[in-house]
Amino acid sequence: ILPNIHGTYQTDTFFHETFATFNADILGISGSGTSNQRVIGDVRVTSPWTLWGGNRVTASLSARYDVYNFDNTELVNSEIYSGLKSRFLPSGYLEWSLPMLKGGSKWSQVIEPRARLTIMPDIGNDAGYAMNNDSAGALLSDATLFSNNRFSGLDLWENGTFADYGVRWAAFDNSGQNFEVFIGQSYDFTDRPDVDPNSGFHNGQSDYVGRLSYKNSEWLNLSTRFRFAENDFSLRHSETAAYVGTSRNFVSVGHIWAAQFLDAQTMDKDIHEITAGLSFHLTERFGVRFNAIYNVTDDKFQRHTGGVFYNHPCYFLSLEYRRDNAVKEDYVGNTTFQFRFGLNIDGAKL
């Protein structure tokens, strides 16, 4: 995928703590006799307020506009298309939270209920164009809640009106130890055009998602993320990980389990995977990283990646490989290599 240019600019505050953010992406995809280029623009105005009693309210308005140039590209409706297409998506959200802190001589605690209402026009299947896109659809998790876009990648757009809500409890001490528990859910007011039975989203109430974590400020991070079915609280997805080391030199191991459905009633074989990662720096600026996912169900490596990285105060570069062994419908994984170079301008990466 070349070129890929991303830029972000955030203004100073207009009044109170209100500010605007401008994002732009230029991306080209080509291969097997097909190609497309796109320009993606996004502007967002965010206004956070702290009100009486510690209530926090954030209002936000945004607009996104994409322009695509397709060349012999298969669209969602299976049409082979060449030419320009564009789309425009205004949206806004209103978010409330109330952190309630209780101090102690050794430990302090905070409990925080939180809710967000996001309003977007319902554009249905117009939210996506190309079949060979960079988006893997929406997968409900604790990280998906309260996000501006529940889809991964850039091609697919979330749309319609939905609400996110949940509650977080955390405890921390002066030595840097931290425990956290979170549970939440999403509610779609607009029927989704296609509901993947494995996504965790439904028309109306979604599944329940949450996380448990422990970390200290020096070398250890333990976490588990989970999803329970909305109708009977049966376990649908769990990810457990242990991270030992610093941000530069570390070892990580983890386990992923997920129930899989062919449709709303028919079970497929479960996903059962083991993950591992390694990072170490040979010098202050030069490092090596490796990650792997082993598919226990199919007895094979699902994916492994590795590369070398160099970070300079003025620029950064990396050379990475990625081996994908996934096979699904018409998709067959392969080996790719990626070289990246970027500039650091006033602390921002380009």
Side-chain angles (χ1 to χ4, degrees), residues 214-224 240-255 275-281 289-291:
Y214 165 79
K215 66 177 67 175
N216 61 37
S217 59
E218 297 179 356
W219 57 275
L220 179 63
N221 189 338
L222 304 174
S223 64
T224 182
T240 303
Y243 181 103
V244 181
T246 66
S247 60
R248 294 164 55 85
N249 300 290
F250 64 83
V251 174
S252 65
V253 293
H255 175 260
T275 65
L278 174 68
S279 173
F280 61 93
H281 275 69
R289 292 180 187 173
F290 177 81
N291 292 280

Side-chain angles (χ1 to χ4, degrees), residues 38-208:
R38 61 195 180 198
V39 178
I40 299 172
D42 175 83
V43 58
R44 178 177 295 275
V45 177
T46 306
S47 183
W49 296 79
T50 300
L51 306 178
W52 52 267
N55 286 273
R56 295 179 179 176
V57 176
T58 301
S60 179
L61 294 174
S62 72
R64 177 172 167 177
Y65 191 82
D66 290 6
V67 178
Y68 279 68
N69 177 42
F70 292 113
D71 180 19
N72 196 36
T73 303
E74 183 180 8
L75 304 185
V76 172
N77 61 5
S78 299
E79 173 191 2
I80 304 299
Y81 182 81
S82 296
L84 293 174
K85 281 185 176 290
S86 63
R87 55 186 177 175
F88 175 75
L89 183 68
S91 67
Y93 71 78
L94 184 66
E95 182 175 318
W96 165 85
S97 66
L98 179 59
M100 293 174 282
L101 179 66
K102 181 179 180 180
S105 59
K106 294 184 178 180
W107 288 85
S108 297
Q109 301 180 62
V110 60
I111 185 168
E112 181 182 13
R114 184 180 176 189
R116 176 192 282 198
L117 176 65
T118 301
I119 300 175
M120 299 182 185
D122 180 15
I123 58 177
N125 286 325
D126 288 338
Y129 287 131
M131 295 295 286
N132 60 334
N133 51 55
D134 66 349
S135 300
L139 181 65
L140 180 66
S141 73
D142 63 289
T144 306
L145 295 184
F146 307 106
S147 63
N148 296 330
N149 186 0
R150 299 190 291 187
F151 279 112
S152 62
L154 297 173
D155 272 333
L156 298 181
W157 283 11
E158 183 60 272
N159 64 106
T161 298
F162 56 91
D164 300 320
Y165 41 90
V167 61
R168 180 180 72 96
W169 171 85
F172 50 93
D173 68 359
N174 295 330
S175 67
Q177 295 186 95
N178 180 285
F179 291 92
E180 185 182 35
V181 180
F182 172 83
I183 189 165
Q185 189 182 40
S186 185
Y187 187 95
D188 280 277
F189 294 95
T190 307
D191 286 349
R192 304 176 68 86
D194 295 301
V195 178
D196 182 347
N198 299 303
S199 68
F201 290 102
H202 310 285
N203 293 327
Q205 288 181 315
S206 72
D207 289 347
Y208 297 94

Side-chain angles (χ1 to χ4, degrees), residues 197-198 257-271 297-298 328:
N198 299 303
W257 177 89
Q260 290 291 289
F261 289 83
L262 297 175
D263 53 48
Q265 287 80 35
T266 309
M267 289 284 296
D268 196 3
K269 59 183 179 181
D270 296 342
I271 291 177
T297 303
D298 296 334
K328 185 176 182 180

